[in-house]
Amino acid sequence: MRIDVVSIFPEYLAPLELSLIGKARQDGLLELNVHDLRTFTTDKHRTVDDTPYGGGAGMVMKPEPWAQALESIAASQMPANSQDEPTKKPVLIVPSPAGERFNQALAYELAEEEQLVFACGRYEGIDERVIEWADEHFTVRPVSLGDYVLNGGEVAVLAMVEAIGRLLPGVVGNPESLVEESHSDGLLEYPVYTKPSSWRDREVPAVLLSGNHGKIAQWRRHEQYRRTAERRPDLLPEFDAGRLTRADRSAFGELGYDVVDGQLRRRPDGDLPA
Ligand code: 6GU
């Protein structure tokens, strides 16, 4: 995969040289280029912003430096398929609190792409005409990390590149660890423990020391249900409950959820399990 990031603070992206993502770049699994938006300005002061039409607080990013930056990225060919079939449009991700929500499903979807470009806005955002114009060269997706406001897209790009990059083949040493983690099946992860088995008068749950792999798997599954019901009940209506065992249904029953047409349904408060 190739990733290009455009920012007025390229140094913000330096952590992508570390750890798993840094290693993936060294190993050639990921090509990542960071571009300074100001190198695409033409005035002496390298201006990237101006006052908003219609008035209001803050500044807006000028369109022309963005057009120059994005055109230069679109024109730089992917070395692998420069003479092959017409290449797929790269995806242009515009980090913004006004975008669609980023989640694990979107990370998996974007991990399938050949080329991603991230356009980090600052101030009040980028002139909207850039977003419209860009679909000539790119599939444009405004994306948000969550319902809060950051000062710019850079921190969001760090999060998204890490979430996407770790899904690329060969980046995470043991691909098994991708299967059991939070959100891979629409539930939160079960709690984990290591040695010593007794620590400051707290014991590791006995089932984990039992050696009974069936029981351990069931306990972990039911801990996932309990945690998700407690911390993220909003995830449960999306969970595919069609293939749950009787024991699984009964675990959800004790948490106040029934299975109706393969979907979990919260029982009205106070009702007893059916
Ligand atoms: Cl992706 N960008 C910015 N600037 N703020 C955000 C965000 C993204 N996600 C949540 N807040």
Side-chain angles (χ1 to χ4, degrees), residues 1 19-25 27-30 161-175 177-178:
M1 171 180 276
S19 188
L20 242 53
I21 300 300
K23 176 79 168 19
R25 293 170 73 180
D27 294 349
L29 302 172
L30 173 64
V161 169
E162 182 157 320
I164 295 162
R166 64 194 292 285
L167 300 177
L168 301 176
V171 173
V172 167
N174 179 2
S177 57
L178 299 179

Side-chain angles (χ1 to χ4, degrees), residues 56-249:
M59 299 290 272
V60 174
M61 295 192 106
K62 292 165 65 63
E64 192 53 26
W66 278 109
Q68 294 298 329
L70 296 175
E71 271 174 340
S72 102
I73 290 168
S76 68
Q77 269 294 346
M78 300 272 298
N81 49 5
S82 41
Q83 74 281 64
D84 298 7
E85 322 99 63
T87 51
K88 195 162 172 261
K89 278 196 218 170
V91 176
L92 176 64
I93 298 161
V94 186
S96 160
E100 69 177 298
R101 275 288 288 276
F102 187 73
N103 59 21
Q104 193 64 19
L106 184 50
Y108 272 106
E109 187 184 331
L110 295 173
E112 298 292 319
E113 295 291 334
E114 260 172 64
Q115 188 176 4
L116 303 177
V117 180
F118 290 89
C120 297
R122 282 261 149 187
Y123 319 113
E124 300 308 306
I126 304 170
D127 187 306
E128 188 66 18
R129 292 168 295 181
V130 174
I131 314 302
E132 298 163 15
W133 160 87
D135 74 14
E136 211 173 288
H137 301 291
F138 303 93
T139 302
V140 184
R141 295 185 78 161
V143 176
S144 169
L145 284 196
D147 296 339
Y148 47 84
V149 178
L150 303 170
N151 283 332
E154 288 79 3
V155 166
V157 170
L158 291 176
M160 290 189 270
V161 169
E162 182 157 320
I164 295 162
R166 64 194 292 285
L167 300 177
L168 301 176
V171 173
V172 167
N174 179 2
E176 286 271 317
S177 57
L178 299 179
V179 176
E180 299 216 333
E181 65 194 9
S182 287
H183 301 295
S184 60
D185 57 1
L187 297 171
L188 302 186
E189 177 62 294
Y190 52 78
V192 296
Y193 303 86
T194 186
K195 292 174 273 296
S197 68
S198 178
W199 176 77
R200 300 197 180 193
D201 294 331
R202 289 162 195 276
E203 308 300 322
V204 169
V207 62
L208 298 179
L209 311 176
S210 70
N212 183 331
H213 298 295
K215 272 210 160 141
I216 291 170
Q218 186 186 72
W219 181 85
R220 286 178 165 167
R221 229 166 33 245
H222 293 178
E223 285 297 302
Q224 287 189 276
Y225 304 165
R226 193 183 52 72
R227 265 195 176 178
T228 309
E230 215 168 272
R231 301 178 183 176
R232 293 294 307 278
D234 58 299
L235 297 177
L236 292 179
E238 300 296 315
F239 178 69
D240 175 13
R243 284 197 294 274
L244 294 181
T245 65
R246 283 174 64 101
D248 290 343
R249 284 166 195 257

Side-chain angles (χ1 to χ4, degrees), residues 249-263:
R249 284 166 195 257
S250 137
F252 269 120
E254 285 176 27
L255 295 166
Y257 288 85
D258 296 321
V259 177
V260 181
D261 298 332
Q263 304 261 251

